[in-house]
Amino acid sequence: MRHLAQIARGLDPVRTTFGASLLLSLVAHAPGTLNRDGMLYVRAAQAFIDGGFEAAGRLFNWLFLPVLMALVSRTTGLGLENAGHLLNALFMAGACALMVACVRDKHPEAAWAACLMVLAMPGLNEYRDELLREYGCWFFVMLAFRLALRWAERPGWALALGVQAALGLAALFRPEAVALFPALLLWQLFAAPRAERWRRLALLGALPLAAGLLLAILYWSGHLPGQDRIAFDLGRLSMERLDAKARVLASALIVYAHEEARTILLFGSLAIVPLHVLGKLGLLVVPLVYLFAARAGRETLARHPLFAWGIAAHLLVLAVFVIDLQFLAGRYVGLVLLLLVPFVATGFWLLARRFPRWRPLAVGLALLLVLANVVSMHPPKTHFVDAGRWLEREHKEPRGVYIDSSRTAYYAGWFDVAPAPRDDRAAIEQAARGGQYELFVLELSRKDAPAEEWLRSIGLEITQRFIHPNKDAVIVAVPRRSTP
């Protein structure tokens, strides 16, 4: 035990975080199926290799990650999917390590707690098996914040440009990262010495404000095409879109509530954000609550003001998203969770110091969380892989095949095929009666109504089934031959 303790004392929390994160990504990348977004990125990367930006742009309108995957694939010889996972693993490890480095600089005693918390945070780590743009965004946001903290000690143009460049790269992965520029400015507005305040604001904000002003002029003058990603995201701020949704909601409310439809929609949507954040914190909400219960919240906020401003800025982004969509994907709150790490880590450190007898149990539970985030007890959805490989083997060309399973089409190598909407029975029935398809590849959920009798009623019979243990399936059906 003494020898192990000596080894532990010789470890560096930042390097340990980087290495452990890479190991967790390797564990999470078990055989299975790729997420839908990941399939889109692989298809766009292949389109870029085959036809350049124009071909890739027809599939997706924010191409930095697919292009990066294509370049890594051609450089290393890795397949596109593995190139994407490699990039994600490196970006995630870098983001985690940079966070621990920031905590160590401001609160060295909590560095190991930060290492444990950033690797245990459910909402950050449960997506390690998926190919996502978020990892690149998180890495460059953390790089920008790390550079900004160093810049605050010795302000100058070089580091200021580095901060801006890092946030610009983050926006190439997720455009909403530009909302962190105001967070940087507000941080310095309150933290900078009075004599230095305006100079620092100019160093950090002159170029981003000029770019933002130019973008606003282009948008309001109509020079950004409506299908442009930036124009689309700016359009989320439109009150007309909110009013249209409120009118739809009002039609479902009792008469007395019609006038309150906008208020109900607004605050009902906003409630989704804190519920998602708390849900993705999981058990780690306990050290966060203890931080404020122990009256250490104000001191911690004073120690990490940049992260507090970053959380506030991204919460506003999430508010815009959720008001526009009435929906919030779990990974969208990931940046908030990452920026919460200094506060959760400080709470955990305070708990461990206050209750030393319970420290081994707390650390053990956190380590279990680390493993639970990357080790799935559910069987992988290999039925899509099996169905895709069968389709690739038996039908080289998609001509004459009706398919509504995008994941099966992906594993068949049919990247150029746009699958039909899933479980659109009217469209399937029309296609079956039209006679132009010799094969129907359909994705069936265990929650769908039974399909066998309905398929027989429209003249189709099932010839192949690829079934997941949870009863989801991909089936292959052909037109039933009439008997003489």
Side-chain angles (χ1 to χ4, degrees):
M1 291 299 293
R2 190 181 301 113
H3 183 60
L4 291 175
Q6 290 174 349
I7 293 175
R9 282 193 293 271
L11 293 175
D12 174 70
V14 176
R15 293 177 181 175
T16 301
T17 302
F18 187 86
S21 180
L22 286 178
L23 181 60
L24 290 173
S25 294
L26 180 63
V27 171
H29 185 45
T33 56
L34 189 61
N35 58 305
R36 294 180 188 273
D37 285 354
M39 293 178 184
L40 173 61
Y41 305 147
V42 170
R43 291 173 58 209
Q46 186 62 57
F48 173 76
I49 291 173
D50 296 337
F53 283 103
E54 184 178 352
R58 288 195 290 268
L59 291 174
F60 190 49
N61 59 5
W62 207 253
L63 289 173
F64 191 69
L65 177 59
V67 170
L68 202 56
M69 288 165 53
L71 295 176
V72 170
S73 175
R74 298 186 74 170
T75 302
T76 64
L78 290 171
L80 289 171
E81 188 174 329
N82 285 330
H85 282 298
L86 174 63
L87 284 168
N88 278 187
L90 292 172
F91 284 141
M92 183 61 170
C96 292
L98 285 167
M99 171 54 77
V100 174
C102 290
V103 173
R104 182 186 61 183
D105 288 351
K106 297 294 182 180
H107 191 187
E109 297 88 350
W112 280 108
C115 170
L116 188 55
M117 294 299 99
V118 78
L119 297 177
M121 188 80 73
L124 280 179
N125 294 280
E126 64 187 359
Y127 302 106
R128 284 181 180 269
D129 61 327
E130 299 187 8
L131 210 168
L132 300 171
R133 289 179 291 145
E134 275 75 7
Y135 298 117
C137 176
W138 297 346
F139 170 74
F140 284 108
V141 166
M142 286 309 310
L143 179 60
F145 278 30
R146 175 76 168 150
L147 292 174
L149 292 172
R150 287 190 173 183
W151 172 87
E153 299 171 359
R154 191 175 297 178
W157 271 111
L159 269 181
L161 291 174
V163 172
Q164 294 162 16
L167 267 189
L169 287 168
L172 291 178
F173 287 91
R174 298 288 317 184
E176 60 269 21
V178 297
L180 294 174
F181 278 114
L184 286 169
L185 298 181
L186 287 167
W187 164 58
Q188 279 302 291
L189 182 64
F190 289 92
R194 181 173 297 180
E196 284 274 312
R197 185 173 298 163
W198 294 110
R199 175 178 173 270
R200 291 189 179 202
L201 289 175
L203 285 172
L204 272 185
L207 288 177
L209 286 174
L213 181 61
L214 176 62
L215 189 62
I217 292 171
L218 290 174
Y219 176 71
W220 292 112
S221 63
H223 286 85
L224 284 179
Q227 69 273 18
D228 183 88
R229 176 60 182 264
I230 297 175
F232 179 79
D233 283 340
L234 289 174
R236 296 183 192 277
L237 301 170
S238 170
M239 293 302 296
E240 294 178 0
R241 292 169 73 156
L242 177 63
D243 288 339
K245 293 179 176 66
R247 287 193 294 271
V248 173
L249 176 62
S251 66
L253 298 173
I254 61 175
V255 175
Y256 303 107
H258 283 186
E259 294 183 0
E260 305 298 329
R262 181 193 278 189
T263 303
I264 294 170
L265 178 66
L266 182 63
F267 289 98
S269 299
L270 289 176
I272 296 174
V273 176
L275 290 175
H276 266 63
V277 172
L278 292 174
K280 292 299 181 180
L281 272 172
L283 288 176
L284 300 190
V285 75
V286 174
L288 184 61
V289 169
Y290 184 77
L291 174 71
F292 292 94
R295 299 182 179 179
R298 181 176 297 181
E299 178 187 349
T300 308
L301 286 169
R303 185 182 285 128
H304 303 289
L306 176 55
F307 295 99
W309 284 113
I311 291 168
H314 197 63
L315 285 175
L316 287 175
V317 170
L318 295 179
V320 172
F321 268 61
V322 79
I323 290 170
D324 182 53
L325 301 173
Q326 282 75 62
F327 165 78
L328 201 61
R331 67 180 187 274
Y332 290 177
V333 304
L335 185 55
V336 171
L337 298 174
L338 180 61
L339 299 178
L340 275 172
V341 166
F343 307 98
V344 177
T346 302
F348 188 86
W349 174 74
L350 289 171
L351 269 172
R353 191 177 65 169
R354 175 66 178 83
F355 304 101
R357 290 185 179 181
W358 293 95
R359 189 182 304 162
L361 178 61
V363 172
L365 285 173
L367 289 174
L368 284 177
L369 269 180
V370 170
L371 293 176
N373 290 330
V374 297
V375 177
S376 175
M377 303 306 293
H378 302 290
K381 297 180 179 181
T382 53
H383 61 299
F384 293 115
V385 181
D386 296 338
R389 288 175 178 169
W390 179 89
L391 195 58
E392 182 184 25
R393 185 173 62 252
E394 299 294 330
H395 292 267
K396 300 295 184 183
E397 296 291 333
R399 188 184 304 111
V401 178
Y402 182 98
I403 183 167
D404 71 0
S405 175
S406 59
R407 286 176 284 193
T408 301
Y410 173 84
Y411 285 106
W414 294 358
F415 289 178
D416 296 331
V417 173
R422 199 191 75 77
D423 200 33
D424 186 344
R425 295 200 170 191
I428 296 170
E429 186 172 346
Q430 183 179 0
R433 290 174 176 170
Q436 70 266 40
Y437 295 104
E438 62 187 46
L439 202 69
F440 291 76
V441 181
L442 309 175
E443 184 177 329
L444 302 179
S445 169
R446 62 191 181 280
K447 299 177 182 178
D448 294 338
E452 284 78 1
E453 291 186 11
W454 171 72
L455 287 171
R456 282 196 294 270
S457 72
I458 62 173
L460 298 177
E461 60 180 347
I462 299 174
T463 59
Q464 296 284 337
R465 297 176 189 265
F466 304 91
I467 304 175
H468 188 267
N470 70 359
K471 306 303 182 184
D472 288 345
V474 175
I475 61 102
V476 178
V478 297
R480 192 169 62 246
R481 296 179 181 178
S482 56
T483 54

